[in-house]
Amino acid sequence: AQTVTQSQPEMSVQEAETVTLSCTYDTSESNYYLFWYKQPPSRQMILVIRQEAYKQQNATENRFSVNFQKAAKSFSLKISDSQLGDTAMYFCAFIKGGAQKLVFGQGTRLTINP
Amino acid sequence: NAGVTQTPKFQVLKTGQSMTLQCAQDMNHNSMYWYRQDPGMGLRLIYYSASEGTTDKGEVPNGYNVSRLNKREFSLRLESAAPSQTSVYFCASSEALRSWFFGPGTRLTVL
């Protein structure tokens, strides 16, 4: 079974700093997708970024970028120039190609301090 | 275009009571899902429906039943609620399994 591990339960940084959230996953599949979701206090799940395993280039979305290390099965999220609105729970998630089940990590609670 | 909607947003039950959580999506997606979120455990899949007329168990199905009423609607039923089912419940829908859309969640407390 696929597993997703986020080893940092909580992180805290100052506004404008750069922060990196860690995620590792375990799979024997070669075709899969990885996601980072943001969950602010409103509870809404918001897609931050998506990475297809077959793509070597790391995905980026404005201030958000990933470091996808396929051989190491690592998928970290970097937030540059962090803002107060980035304060949220962040979940890493995995799905293998053709499957139905999106598997989530335990989450990292990120706090951006003014 | 409302996306994924869930009702109710909050609910308090007594042990043994039953209730149904409703979910609807207006994106014409084939796949729909029910997850529960507990502190420190992320989101865990309860049941899913890959298409209208089909349902399958996820990681934590015990104590729950589901109905895929039509392509738009997917309900989750607790027949006899237990305190262990206190959680936040999310419905989600997906097309092509690369884009997922989540509802706003239902906070359920079982006393």
Side-chain angles (χ1 to χ4, degrees), chain A:
Chain A
Q2 284 76 25
T3 59
V4 178
T5 302
Q6 295 178 247
S7 59
Q8 305 150 312
E10 295 188 26
M11 297 187 71
S12 178
V13 299
Q14 296 300 119
E15 193 176 7
E17 289 184 346
T18 294
V19 59
T20 299
L21 309 182
S22 300
C23 173
T24 58
Y25 58 95
D26 183 24
T27 184
S28 58
E29 302 290 331
S30 58
N31 178 26
Y32 53 87
Y33 300 88
L34 294 160
F35 306 83
W36 278 99
Y37 279 90
K38 170 185 178 181
Q39 187 182 43
S42 67
R43 289 206 312 258
Q44 185 69 45
M45 294 290 285
I46 302 166
L47 177 65
V48 175
I49 204 163
R50 178 178 66 214
Q51 175 80 44
E52 291 90 343
Y54 64 86
K55 290 187 177 179
Q56 293 186 341
Q57 186 173 6
N58 289 327
T60 62
E61 288 289 342
N62 301 314
R63 297 183 295 107
F64 299 87
S65 61
V66 297
N67 183 5
F68 174 45
Q69 300 289 327
K70 192 171 183 178
K73 297 180 183 176
S74 171
F75 183 61
S76 60
L77 175 69
K78 185 172 82 171
I79 305 174
S80 303
D81 186 27
S82 59
Q83 300 174 358
L84 297 179
D86 296 333
T87 292
M89 283 288 289
Y90 287 81
F91 292 97
C92 179
F94 166 99
I95 187 168
K96 66 178 183 179
Q100 285 285 342
K101 301 175 184 179
L102 187 62
V103 179
F104 286 86
Q106 306 92 322
T108 296
R109 183 176 301 280
L110 175 65
T111 302
I112 310 298
N113 298 307

Side-chain angles (χ1 to χ4, degrees), chain B:
Chain B
N1 189 338
V4 180
T5 58
Q6 291 181 235
T7 56
K9 286 187 168 52
F10 301 92
Q11 184 71 48
V12 178
L13 293 177
K14 295 181 179 178
T15 297
Q17 287 185 318
S18 62
M19 78 161 296
T20 299
L21 281 64
Q22 306 286 354
C23 173
Q25 53 94 6
D26 60 3
M27 294 170 283
N28 203 35
H29 288 166
N30 282 315
S31 302
M32 298 186 72
Y33 308 82
W34 277 105
Y35 283 88
R36 60 177 287 173
Q37 182 181 13
D38 301 295
M41 302 188 75
L43 278 75
R44 293 180 294 167
L45 183 64
I46 305 171
Y47 270 94
Y48 67 97
S49 171
S51 61
E52 186 179 351
T54 68
T55 60
D56 283 287
K57 295 178 180 179
E59 183 183 356
V60 287
N62 291 343
Y64 305 95
N65 286 301
V66 291
S67 295
R68 183 75 182 266
L69 304 170
N70 47 56
K71 193 170 186 178
R72 287 188 65 249
E73 298 172 290
F74 188 39
S75 62
L76 178 72
R77 182 159 178 86
L78 287 70
E79 291 291 351
S80 179
S84 61
Q85 294 177 305
T86 293
S87 189
V88 179
Y89 291 84
F90 286 94
C91 179
S93 70
S94 173
E95 191 62 42
L97 303 178
R98 295 182 298 143
S99 297
W100 292 67
F101 298 84
F102 288 83
T106 295
R107 182 177 293 279
L108 174 66
T109 301
V110 183
L111 302 175

